[in-house]
Amino acid sequence: MSHAWDEIQVGDEMKPLEWQPSSQQLVKWAGASGDYHQIHYDKDYALAQGLPGTIVHGPLKTAMLGEYARQWAGPGAWVRRVSASYRGMDQPGEQLVVRGRVARKYEEHGERLIDCEVWVAKGDQKTTTGETTVVLGRVPDAAASA
Amino acid sequence: MPQPVMPDDVIEAIRASIGKEMEPKVNDEVEKGLIRRLYEAVGAPAPEGDDALVAPISILFTLRGAGVRYPTMYRNVAGGTEWEYFRPIRVGDQITATSKIAEVYQRESRSLGRMTFIIVETNHVNQRGEHVARTRSTGIYY
């Protein structure tokens, strides 16, 4: 899935990504990221903390939002910024959907940039909301193309 | 053993340290395997060629400053995060990360009671002295 600059419009919906995080994925993220907080893999521990059970790492959701934008933009794109606010907890096994829409399209410092509004939804609840900026390459040199 | 609630004197000490930079931490050199594992963790196809040598933005979470970003000694959950990349980080780069407490505030929540929000800002500099990234993380202590 790749998007040509000229075809992208503000308001475009990004193709939704169905996401059912597994306990194995949480362990992979723990290993890759070095976040070994037990609330993400030890149910008894999580319950003792007043949580509903093990929960998905917030930063894993941020990483998913960044990767979602990277795949939407296609090869050669560079995700330069991603932010996320964890408004609700998600648990392994739950059916989630990652969604987004193009919020801004602009050129700055010779780069072509897209800002996207991105979020993780569980039913009609947005459990994580975020924003991302993707670099889609450089502005073609007007002198060179003339 | 359950974690204790962060005591008030700890919260006050953290509040008093707002803006003071902690010791810079020199992280291990970025390895190709770390980049691959970060992609695997989000279920992404492993990139090939030169792309396999450039770190996804999620690497910023692994390049921590000194002073623990998510101290597990007190009860907490992650509240939010912002990762901003100024230049790509590549295999072999050595990143020095310097953190500081940026903000502390409290709110009441129906489900978790009093929540203390602690925002840590970290700046990342590579082996050439280039400012490559900045992150902000919100920890919620309840």
Side-chain angles (χ1 to χ4, degrees), chain B residues 13 18 31-32 51 89 97 111 116 122 128:
Chain B
I18 288 175
E31 298 167 358
K32 198 173 174 183
D51 283 351
I89 292 174
S111 54
T116 303
T122 304
R128 292 181 291 278

Side-chain angles (χ1 to χ4, degrees), chain A residues 25 33 45 49 62 80 82 84 86, chain B residues 3 41 79-81 83 85 142:
Chain A
Q25 182 175 21
S33 71
Y45 188 93
Q49 303 305 311
T62 313
R80 205 172 69 177
V82 58
Y86 314 131
Chain B
Q3 297 159 298
T81 202
W83 301 331
Y85 230 162
Y142 64 99

Side-chain angles (χ1 to χ4, degrees), chain A residues 57-137:
Chain A
H57 301 74
L60 170 55
K61 296 194 278 186
T62 313
M64 283 295 291
L65 293 175
E67 179 59 20
Y68 174 63
R70 192 182 75 89
Q71 293 201 14
W72 170 80
W78 186 51
V79 176
R80 205 172 69 177
R81 183 181 67 97
V82 58
S83 67
S85 189
Y86 314 131
R87 305 155 75 96
M89 295 178 198
D90 296 300
Q91 296 188 253
E94 288 182 327
Q95 186 59 57
L96 310 175
V97 187
V98 186
R99 292 178 177 273
R101 93 165 53 91
V102 176
R104 190 176 168 216
K105 174 181 176 178
Y106 55 109
E107 295 176 348
E108 203 173 77
H109 307 305
E111 288 177 324
R112 290 177 150 176
L113 302 167
I114 298 287
D115 287 352
C116 301
E117 195 186 319
V118 284
W119 63 94
V120 177
K122 179 160 56 185
D124 50 16
Q125 184 201 4
K126 289 183 180 178
T127 56
T128 297
T129 55
E131 287 171 27
T132 177
T133 300
V134 185
V135 182
L136 271 99

Side-chain angles (χ1 to χ4, degrees), chain A residues 140-146:
Chain A
D141 187 336
S145 61

Side-chain angles (χ1 to χ4, degrees), chain A residues 19-32 40 56-57 60-61 64 92 96, chain B residues 37-44:
Chain A
W19 180 33
Q20 191 172 28
S22 63
S23 56
Q24 185 187 52
Q25 182 175 21
L26 270 52
V27 170
K28 281 185 182 176
W29 173 257
H40 305 298
V56 177
H57 301 74
L60 170 55
K61 296 194 278 186
M64 283 295 291
L96 310 175
Chain B
R37 288 194 301 278
L38 287 168
Y39 277 113
E40 278 174 3
V42 292

Side-chain angles (χ1 to χ4, degrees), chain B residues 24-74:
Chain B
K25 184 182 166 195
V26 182
N27 284 276
D28 290 337
E29 283 180 17
V30 172
E31 298 167 358
K32 198 173 174 183
L34 170 60
I35 292 175
R36 182 176 46 74
R37 288 194 301 278
L38 287 168
Y39 277 113
E40 278 174 3
V42 292
E48 291 168 17
D50 190 59
D51 283 351
L53 307 178
V54 179
I57 195 165
S58 56
I59 196 164
L60 300 181
F61 182 69
T62 75
L63 301 170
R64 298 188 173 86
V68 188
R69 180 172 298 184
Y70 288 112
T72 50
M73 49 194 301
Y74 301 114

